[in-house]
Amino acid sequence: MNPLEQLYQEIILDHSKRRVGAASLEGEPGAGEGQSHQHNPLCGDDITLRARVSADGVIESLAWQGDGCSISMASASVLAEGLRGHAVSEFAEANETFHELMRSRGKLAADEELEERLGDAAAFAGVSKFPARVKCALLSWEAAKDAIARASA
Amino acid sequence: MAVSDLPPLDDTEAARLRADFPILETRIGDAQLVYLDSGATSQKPECVWEAEQHFYETANAAVHRGAHTLAVEATDRFEDARAAVAGFVGAGEREIVWTANATEALNLIAYSFSNASLGAGGPEAQPFRLGPGDEIVATGMEHHANLIPWQELAARTGASFRWIPLTPDARLDLEAAADIVNAKTRILAFTHVSNVLGTVNDPAPLVAMAKAVGAFTVLDACQSAPHLPLNLRALDVDFAAFSGHKMLGPTGIGALYGRAELLDAMPPFLFGGSMITTVSMEKAEYLPAPQRFEAGTQKIAQAVGLAAAVGYLSEVGMDRVRAWEELLGERMLTGLSDIPGVRLLGPAADSGVQRTGTVPFAVEGVHPHDVGQFLDSRGVAVRVGHHCAEPLHRFLGVTASTRASAYLYNTTADVDALLQAVSDVRGFFGVK
Ligand SMILES: Cc1ncc(COP(=O)(O)O)c(C=O)c1O
């Protein structure tokens, strides 16, 4: 695979079209919900993400609305699909791992262990070779972290 | 500006010019660089940095200070550079103030007006004083650099900020302008060439409207000075701004043009060394323009580099540059309109609007960021995003766009490489 194909893995292109969790968010977040808006002024990527967290710390749902490039949209979709039913503490670990991957400048490969820890999000390994695109991949993770913290507050 | 009697630029001639721009030989992965982002910044010919190097090797000293031989030599070269750039844009030597870039030039005007509004500058500065009831007018297609300084100036002085809207096909709405520019208008700021659309605005009707009501005109010449024969005095604008780095010059240098009598009367914006006549512990008196606006040690080598750049452009001939870019622009417009799923932004290809070699477009179903990434993998460098013109993008109904912008060193082969790469975008992303 050339770097472009590593960047735009099938999983990423597929998620950018499927947009799991994409919804039109209306009204204010209710009890047990938190919402976060993130914007990248550099390229205009924009996302609002709402998380519902149960009293015992399980992420029940992630819904989002946004506009942006395929990397940012796929990243939100992968999160919405992958996080449902996981504990907040598991998200925190995955978030650490994902940030580490994005900082790796292509040095971390998407091996089995990474897939174990990140699921479909491991497909973003190729993004780390393109520093200008790392922010696109991280935008929804920032939104999720913030929304989950608010929902758990 | 003399019309050159050289034959028109063509691929052979452009290929010869390319040899002066070594960076154009860069390889991007396996591909040859195709640089179509000159609207953001142009590449520079060797003679530009050779001029800077020569200055450092033979004449470097502080200018307008000291009497030693090198100081005199440096001052001469610095002022010769000003004369060269002034000549290039049809200005008098005293009408060119060095700034870091167009952004600084536009802010300089705005802050000088604010200083006048706070009472600086004595009776001569009266024309520059703004307050409640006054209006500042810009347009809906401005780069943020010719928008925010006016919004902020209005906020600081209590004046109102207004703008000329666009017609549905993204031209300045001159009918609306005739109502918006009125007796309260004090400043009318507009761009000569849109950095997004590549369309040329005719300054004449706007200058006439402003003159009829006694308003100052400010021309953003950032995208015209590099690409068209420009004569600021003939256009009869009061102020203008441009950046060296977009016209083959170095970064860090740009210029403000102002009619001499206005610059001499306008209070300074930055204060310090080299701009004063006498200073006491209570107050200072200021030199006439341009020195009154050039506080502190200046961008000397950069000015010398910019002079070499305009020398290069003049030698090629701006009428030839203009004609060649129009040709490349047309090839992009027709080629892009023929690609399924590609939509041109702004006036239609056959609208008859004057344009430079800059073309913005959208690929249906693929975000501009992804378009740009794909083109980069083919070596094609274009700009993606809102190009510092968010309100214009909102008007066009998009958050971002892809923009290809050509310059004198581009060839039809560059355009064809762009067209080929754009044709392959939707296939790569699996969009039908
Ligand atoms: C029309 C226009 N105005 C102003 C600017 C600002 O130029 P600079 O960033 O060099 O100050 C630009 C450059 O992007 C431009 O294209």
Side-chain angles (χ1 to χ4, degrees), chain A residues 2 4-5 7-8 13 17 39-45 67-71 130 132-133 136, chain B residues 365 367-377 384-386 390 398-400 428-431:
Chain A
N2 66 34
L4 195 73
E5 289 161 350
L7 173 66
Y8 294 113
L13 291 183
K17 296 191 189 91
H39 181 74
N40 180 353
L42 236 57
C43 56
D45 287 351
D67 177 46
C69 67
S70 60
I71 304 293
F130 296 85
R133 305 307 294 276
C136 310
Chain B
H367 191 275
H369 222 177
D370 297 316
V371 174
Q373 193 82 59
F374 179 80
L375 297 191
D376 182 62
S377 76
V384 297
H386 56 51
E390 250 188 77
V398 291
T399 51
F428 178 83
F429 289 100
V431 177

Side-chain angles (χ1 to χ4, degrees), chain B residues 39-40 101-104 106 143 145 191 193-195 220 222-223 243 245-246:
Chain B
N101 47 36
T103 303
E104 188 187 305
L106 293 161
H143 186 283
T191 195
V193 173
S194 160
N195 67 309
D220 180 347
C222 236
Q223 297 289 349
S243 280
H245 70 92
K246 291 185 197 285

Side-chain angles (χ1 to χ4, degrees), chain A:
Chain A
M1 270 195 288
N2 66 34
L4 195 73
E5 289 161 350
Q6 284 168 19
L7 173 66
Y8 294 113
Q9 303 262 341
E10 246 349 280
I11 297 179
I12 293 182
L13 291 183
D14 178 52
H15 267 285
S16 75
K17 296 191 189 91
R18 281 203 292 138
R19 302 200 175 190
V20 179
S24 69
L25 298 176
E26 271 149 33
E28 293 298 308
E33 293 185 337
Q35 183 164 309
S36 176
H37 173 240
Q38 301 288 327
H39 181 74
N40 180 353
L42 236 57
C43 56
D45 287 351
D46 193 275
I47 187 164
T48 304
L49 186 148
R50 193 178 285 183
R52 167 185 287 282
V53 177
S54 72
D56 54 353
V58 173
I59 299 164
E60 290 177 337
S61 72
L62 288 184
W64 57 275
Q65 76 186 30
D67 177 46
C69 67
S70 60
I71 304 293
S72 66
M73 297 295 98
S75 179
S77 174
V78 164
L79 268 180
E81 186 171 79
L83 278 187
R84 197 178 306 136
H86 284 273
V88 170
S89 60
E90 288 175 298
F91 166 71
E93 273 170 42
N95 191 35
E96 279 284 300
T97 309
F98 192 74
H99 274 76
E100 197 186 318
L101 179 64
M102 288 300 104
R103 281 192 300 265
S104 73
R105 293 250 171 177
K107 290 195 188 71
L108 281 181
D111 56 13
E112 266 175 39
E113 193 210 324
L114 201 66
E115 275 168 35
E116 179 79 9
R117 286 158 71 192
L118 287 177
D120 279 358
F124 288 80
V127 176
S128 69
K129 281 198 195 124
F130 296 85
R133 305 307 294 276
V134 164
K135 275 219 167 82
C136 310
L138 286 176
L139 198 69
S140 58
W141 288 78
E142 301 300 342
K145 184 178 170 194
D146 186 35
I148 289 167
R150 286 166 193 266
S152 321

